[in-house]
Amino acid sequence: MAPVDPHSFTESTQPATTHIALTLYFDFPSSTIHASALFTLQTPHSGPFFLDTRSLTIHSALHADQAIPFSLSATSDPIKGTLLTLTLSNHSSFILTFSTSPSSSALQWLLPPQTCNKTHPYVYTQCQAIHARSIFPSHDTPARRIRYSAILNIPSELSAVMAANHVTRRPPRDDDAPALASLNLNWCSQDRVVEEFVMEQPVPPYLFAFAVGQLGNREVGPRTRVYAEEGSAVLDSAAKEFEGTEEMIREGEKLFGEYDWERFDLLVLPPSFPYGGMENPKMVFLTPTVIKGDGSGAQVVAHELAHSWTGNLITNKTNEHFWLNEGFTTYAERRIVEAVQGEKRATLNVGIGWRGLNEEVERFKDNLEFTKLKNNQQGIDPDDVYSQVPYEKGFQFLFRIERQVGRSAFDEFLKKYIAKFKFQSIDTDTFLDFLKENIPGIEKQIDLVLWTEGTGIPSDAYEPELIVYKTIVSLANEAATGRMPGEDEVADWQGQEWELYLDNLPKSIEASQIVALDSRHKLSESKDYEVKVSFLQRAILCGCKEYYGEVEKTLKAVGRMKYLRPLYTALVKGSEEDKVFAKRVFSEARECYHPIAQSVVVSIFSKHM
Ligand code: BES
Ligand code: ZN
């Protein structure tokens, strides 16, 4: 018996699932999905067969109408969830029927008032890192890849999108879901419709994704449509913000090889979406906060697009090798940004990332394990240790190799790496072996073990040298002597420049300077949440109470964890009054956050209170 992943019950000795045919009935009034799933196994199996579940009720397990014995573990693991054991007798397929629960961690159910158009409900998924198991039983580890088909039965005034090919929208049929018959659903009722999808490429379960709501779309390129709630202003502004997407796809193809996923659609979610973006294949999910009207949202799209190669084609085998997904993608994102927006924009990103990396290493000073690229996550919830380290240290490592071998040799290496491992899930050693094989002697030039297994930031990491970067950092440092930037100095600053400036302000800065900065440059009211949150975090740390109204508004308006984390953390580390304030705001805002964001805030509270 050998588990393949510390975050899954999946056993290496049991066969993989090659295909799952899902039938999903969405019951909005009870925030529940009633479902069946036909599993196809790679080889027939006899004896115990393990699947991951969380918050699921299992109704039956069948093969050709014969019941298969099954049981759910009596207790749940706080991280892995509940083990489902089937006892198979030379079976190579079986059907499970099951229901999700309103607390399923992957799903956020929004009532009409929580949506933009206020008239229809909405539900969407976020499966990374280990939440797919709260929608359907699965080998929920990136070490295993599956193909799937899905039939979604939804209210007919709504529509569904998936990270898969759309096959058809049609009236429900009696014979769609025989396995669900015993649940007495109104499958064929007049006011229901069926949407069918297929995913023909094998993907890790964390890339399973759908959204159901009143959706509209706009065409923005030959393989790209933007989707958002119908009738909301978001649709038009998103279409404008993302008009350069096709150009980025072409740059990506030049750098990393053909785009293998046919379509590259974008779904802009309600403001509670817990991430900036999620690389769901064929249909990237995005927070509406990336739409700023200045095209800068394209950087997040560049990142999620880059995952089409690094992450979705080549996947980390477990979350202990997460840097293979995010470090490569951060590197790839910056190459795309450099190609379409120029070196200055890409360098500012490197600079913001550099500051972020240094802060994260400081944050983990009592838990250095998570400053390593390859780390041990036994007994660790990946959502709790999410940080910039895999992104920025991973980027730094790859950039170090690029600097050593030169850009064109590294580009050639990257193309070869992607071609070699596509549609596979790999670990850090597999990457290092391939690197050493293809760039002989590299281990003598770069300390590969230090980079991948060492803690902190190696001394041969790179802080940007470009003058735009240095000017902003030294301006920020000068705040220690009371000097604030003048109008002329910031005249052409965009969000990124402000973010870099704010992130580099010395800790010693005084409350009066924060207030002066804001009255001159109106940062607390910025439409750009990166700037606004960076400013508000400073304001909390300096005890500037006049901004708490804005802090509360922000915490209630968006559910992106990149903003919730620093604001709640700054508050709970503050005075007794700050803690009470944080608790009150959370109790009022909580309902509007995705379950993943709710538990991250709970864990911030439990660490500091
Ligand atoms: N795959 C991540 C989001 C993620 C990571 C979800 C881990 C769940 C667990 C996505 O590609 C990402 O990195 N998003 C960033 C975008 C940014 C780096 C441009 C985000 O959400 O901030
Ligand atoms: Zn990413």
Side-chain angles (χ1 to χ4, degrees), residues 347-356 358-359 462-481 483-485 489-490 493 496-507 509 538:
T347 299
L348 287 173
N349 281 346
V350 176
I352 292 168
W354 174 253
R355 186 72 242 144
N358 281 272
E359 270 158 25
Y462 167 90
E463 178 174 4
E465 284 159 358
L466 217 64
I467 198 82
V468 274
Y469 169 81
K470 293 206 144 177
T471 311
I472 296 171
V473 173
S474 51
L475 254 181
N477 290 334
E478 284 172 28
T481 63
R483 177 164 126 65
M484 290 287 157
E489 285 166 300
V490 303
W493 280 15
Q496 273 181 314
E497 282 87 344
W498 277 113
E499 204 187 333
L500 190 62
Y501 176 79
L502 289 165
D503 290 351
N504 281 281
L505 281 177
K507 291 225 161 58
I509 189 167
R538 282 295 171 152

Side-chain angles (χ1 to χ4, degrees), residues 210-232:
F210 61 69
V212 179
Q214 194 194 30
L215 301 172
N217 66 73
R218 297 266 187 289
E219 193 100 16
V220 295
R223 41 192 156 174
T224 307
R225 273 192 288 269
V226 180
Y227 290 79
E229 273 184 72
E230 183 69 276
S232 71

Side-chain angles (χ1 to χ4, degrees), residues 277 279 303-304 307 325-326 329 391:
E279 65 272 28
H303 179 93
E304 305 315 333
H307 273 303
N325 274 21
E326 297 301 343
T329 297
Y391 292 77

Side-chain angles (χ1 to χ4, degrees), residues 60 77 122 233 237 359 375 407 456 493 536 547 588 591:
S60 67
D77 180 281
Y122 197 108
S237 47
E359 270 158 25
N375 51 55
R407 191 167 257 199
W493 280 15
L536 292 175
Y547 295 108
E588 291 167 14
E591 277 293 285

Side-chain angles (χ1 to χ4, degrees), residues 334-380:
R334 288 178 184 153
R335 293 294 304 274
I336 295 173
V337 168
E338 186 186 309
V340 300
Q341 296 186 346
E343 196 185 358
K344 177 178 162 187
R345 288 287 138 213
T347 299
L348 287 173
N349 281 346
V350 176
I352 292 168
W354 174 253
R355 186 72 242 144
L357 177 58
N358 281 272
E359 270 158 25
E360 295 286 49
V361 167
E362 173 66 22
R363 168 161 85 99
F364 283 123
K365 65 174 185 298
D366 300 322
N367 199 356
L368 287 173
E369 183 64 20
F370 300 105
T371 67
K372 297 177 182 170
L373 284 183
K374 179 171 107 181
N375 51 55
N376 180 352
Q377 297 193 8
Q378 199 71 47
I380 299 289

